Amino acid sequence: FLIHEASKRGYADIIHRFVLRGADVNVQDAQGCTALHYAVKNGHERAVWALIYNAMSTLKLDLPDKEGLTPLILGYMLMYQQPSESAKRAVTTLMQFAGRYSGKEVVLEAGKRADKEIRARLQSSNSLVLVDASADGKKDQVLQELQQYANPDSHRGGVSALVLAVQNKHEDVAQLLLDFKATASVAALQLAADSKMTSLVRTLIASGVPKDGLRTKIAPQLISYIEQGKLEELEQELYLGADPDSKNSEKKYPLLEAVTRQNTAVVQCL
């Protein structure tokens, strides 16, 4: 169907002309897909707008394809893949339209169905390709695998892709895995702290890994940071597992030194 081809390619102006000439926007192909399925699946914002606003009175949002997925469900699944801003706007436009004309319940139900579909795909996928790419720091390949629903917790011999990425100091890959909801672990946290990946340590802690899972380490440099008023460096060391009771060669204690200097910010940090 020509309207399907136009939707796949994002040709909004052509879609507009087809609709004005009476094209059936709800016709389904052999896969059960409508033009809206293809516009959403391919993240074409203007194509989605063209279908919605040129065929508002006849457009059906609840037609499922052969897998039982409606355009709205596909939209939610596309959002999981962290698409371009344009694709995100395409899905948001569809959600707003569906909420206004079909009701919030329809939108919420589509979200639940999409979550179920994504979980099913993740559970059936332990991608060794993802694991190896994470270990090697191949971010583009990691992203491609994740977008194809590779399980972010994929592992080899019980060692997760996340742990391997951190172990090999591929912080950007580790952040990407966490963006796709990889399970944050104490092992990953300790490796990140040992490699002084402060940003990653913060992310892991924010993801629920208890900070007390870190091995504390003696850090005599804390006193020096307090004496020089280097609060940022002090915070970084503490985040990376420095023992706040570390004393230097002169047997000065950080907290006592901060109180003596009446440095409230440092006292709160400690």
Side-chain angles (χ1 to χ4, degrees):
F1 302 101
L2 291 178
I3 195 169
H4 287 187
E5 292 303 316
S7 297
K8 288 178 184 178
R9 291 166 172 74
Y11 296 158
D13 293 339
I14 295 177
I15 293 171
H16 172 72
R17 294 191 184 96
F18 283 160
V19 175
L20 289 182
R21 295 185 181 185
D24 183 359
V25 294
N26 298 312
V27 65
Q28 293 173 279
D29 62 12
Q31 287 73 45
C33 293
T34 64
L36 188 58
H37 277 89
Y38 287 117
V40 172
K41 188 183 300 186
N42 291 286
H44 294 311
E45 178 188 8
R46 292 185 65 243
V48 171
W49 274 89
L51 288 164
I52 287 176
Y53 290 102
N54 288 296
M56 189 177 298
S57 61
T58 58
L59 186 65
K60 295 180 180 179
L61 304 180
D62 57 352
L63 292 175
D65 62 15
K66 292 295 185 182
E67 295 181 348
L69 306 178
T70 66
L72 197 55
I73 295 172
L74 283 176
Y76 272 105
M77 294 177 69
L78 180 64
M79 294 297 274
Y80 169 82
Q81 298 175 319
Q82 298 190 21
S84 67
E85 289 303 315
S86 176
K88 290 178 182 178
R89 289 194 298 270
V91 176
T92 300
T93 297
L94 178 60
M95 289 178 178
Q96 291 173 342
F97 178 77
R100 180 176 300 176
Y101 292 97
S102 299
K104 292 181 180 180
E105 295 77 11
V106 171
V107 178
L108 292 173
E109 188 58 35
K112 292 177 182 177
R113 173 63 195 281
D115 286 341
K116 182 178 179 180
E117 186 71 24
I118 291 169
R119 284 197 302 271
R121 296 188 184 196
L122 295 180
Q123 289 171 359
S124 64
S125 170
N126 181 57
S127 172
L128 296 182
V129 174
L130 175 69
V131 174
D132 292 340
S134 299
D136 294 337
K138 297 178 179 178
K139 185 178 179 181
D140 289 344
Q141 187 175 5
V142 170
L143 178 59
Q144 183 178 0
E145 285 292 309
L146 291 169
Q147 289 178 330
Q148 295 301 316
Y149 303 104
N151 192 330
D153 287 329
S154 293
H155 59 88
R156 183 187 291 276
V159 182
S160 71
L162 176 61
V163 167
L164 287 170
V166 179
Q167 187 176 57
N168 293 320
K169 299 181 174 59
H170 302 308
E171 186 170 1
D172 56 343
V173 171
Q175 291 281 4
L176 179 59
L177 289 164
L178 289 168
D179 288 343
F180 276 83
K181 310 303 181 186
T183 301
S185 65
V186 172
L189 178 63
Q190 187 63 59
L191 286 167
D194 291 344
S195 297
K196 296 188 178 299
M197 299 178 183
T198 309
S199 177
L200 184 58
V201 168
R202 292 178 186 273
T203 302
L204 288 164
I205 291 172
S207 299
V209 182
K211 187 178 178 182
D212 56 14
L214 281 174
R215 296 190 302 271
T216 55
K217 56 184 179 180
I218 303 302
Q221 66 270 30
L222 294 186
I223 293 295
S224 176
Y225 291 148
I226 294 170
E227 290 174 343
Q228 297 175 50
K230 294 182 176 181
L231 182 59
E232 185 176 340
E233 288 82 351
L234 177 66
E235 289 179 331
Q236 177 173 316
E237 287 294 334
L238 292 171
Y239 249 99
L240 296 177
D243 184 352
D245 291 327
S246 298
K247 57 185 178 180
N248 66 1
S249 58
E250 298 174 4
K251 300 190 182 302
K252 292 182 179 180
Y253 286 90
L255 184 58
L256 181 58
E257 187 67 19
V259 172
T260 301
R261 292 173 178 272
Q262 299 182 358
N263 193 326
T264 306
V266 170
V267 170
Q268 291 177 339
C269 179
L270 292 166

